[in-house]
Amino acid sequence: MPPGDAKPLRIGVFGGTFDPPHVGHLVTAVNVRHALDLDLMLLMVNNVPWQKVGSRPITPARDRLAMVAAAVADVDGLEAGDHEIEAGGHSFTADTLATLGAEYPGAELFTVVGDDAAAGIRTWERADEVISRSRMVVVDRPGEHVELDADVDWVRVEVPRLEVSSTDLRARWNDGRPLDYLVTDEVLAVVAERGLYASEGVA
């Protein structure tokens, strides 16, 4: 195929605190990538997640990035995104999409969000920019469909229901309960190596 006829890259942006990243995140990323035939799914690690600041202690961004990188290292088409960490300060999806648009000219960008976040899209900082710079993807659970802003052209992707909570995982690590099959061995190795969560007061 001549270069001029090449299809534009299709890139998913799945942002989060990932504190820690767990199997629910990975199942979502893999299923959305498959459903939308994405060339790349970026698990974009928030630098300072403005919606969570002050609600609980947040693990340093570089540690969270290391966990995500370990989680996706052997997963085809998934990568850890450090764009928001490199940018510094509070993380806003609108800024991230602008950066990715410049990095991947002509790419089709897809912003992946959970149903709760999707229902509150208008509370996002510069929501109109997010919507105009990307196709909005809402992750639905089987049998459940939240009401969404009718002015947004949503793509719905159904993924398996996995009741895994990062809050619960931090508590489990803190009090010694097993995390087997909830977090990958590679992530657990990073947690142990860096001494994360062991003495945290869990919110």
Side-chain angles (χ1 to χ4, degrees):
M1 179 183 293
D5 295 334
K7 293 172 59 179
L9 286 175
R10 295 167 63 85
I11 300 174
V13 183
F14 179 23
T17 311
F18 301 114
D19 194 12
H22 53 66
V23 292
H25 295 132
L26 297 176
V27 166
T28 295
V30 167
N31 278 272
V32 171
R33 179 175 180 254
H34 173 78
L36 300 182
D37 192 25
L38 302 179
D39 298 291
L40 175 63
M41 172 66 84
L42 289 170
L43 280 74
M44 188 64 64
V45 182
N46 300 153
N47 184 48
V48 179
W50 62 273
Q51 291 177 312
K52 296 182 179 180
V53 170
S55 63
R56 64 167 179 82
I58 297 171
T59 302
R62 291 288 175 186
D63 291 329
R64 292 184 282 109
L65 177 65
M67 288 190 285
V68 174
V72 303
D74 297 322
V75 185
D76 186 46
L78 269 56
E79 289 185 12
D82 65 354
H83 300 68
E84 295 183 354
I85 296 173
E86 291 299 323
H90 287 70
S91 299
F92 298 108
T93 302
D95 295 328
T96 304
L97 293 171
T99 298
L100 290 172
E103 182 176 347
Y104 300 98
E108 295 181 47
L109 302 178
F110 297 80
T111 298
V112 182
V113 296
D115 49 12
D116 288 344
I121 188 66
R122 292 298 177 184
T123 69
W124 288 29
E125 185 81 10
R126 289 147 51 211
D128 289 341
E129 287 185 43
V130 176
I131 294 164
S132 65
R133 290 183 182 277
S134 65
R135 190 83 187 272
M136 299 301 299
V137 182
V138 61
V139 175
D140 279 327
R141 311 303 175 185
E144 293 186 9
H145 296 277
V146 298
E147 291 296 321
L148 301 174
D149 190 327
D151 292 334
V152 179
D153 183 19
W154 294 97
V155 178
R156 290 183 181 268
V157 177
E158 189 171 285
V159 302
R161 177 189 292 278
L162 293 177
E163 298 295 344
V164 184
S165 156
S166 290
T167 299
D168 177 62
L169 294 179
R170 293 192 302 274
R172 283 177 169 274
W173 187 273
N174 200 28
D175 61 23
R177 285 177 289 158
L179 285 88
D180 305 76
Y181 309 111
L182 298 172
V183 177
T184 67
D185 290 342
E186 292 80 6
V187 171
L188 289 177
V190 173
V191 172
E193 176 187 346
R194 299 191 176 212
L196 307 177
Y197 305 125
S199 60
E200 175 182 308
V202 178

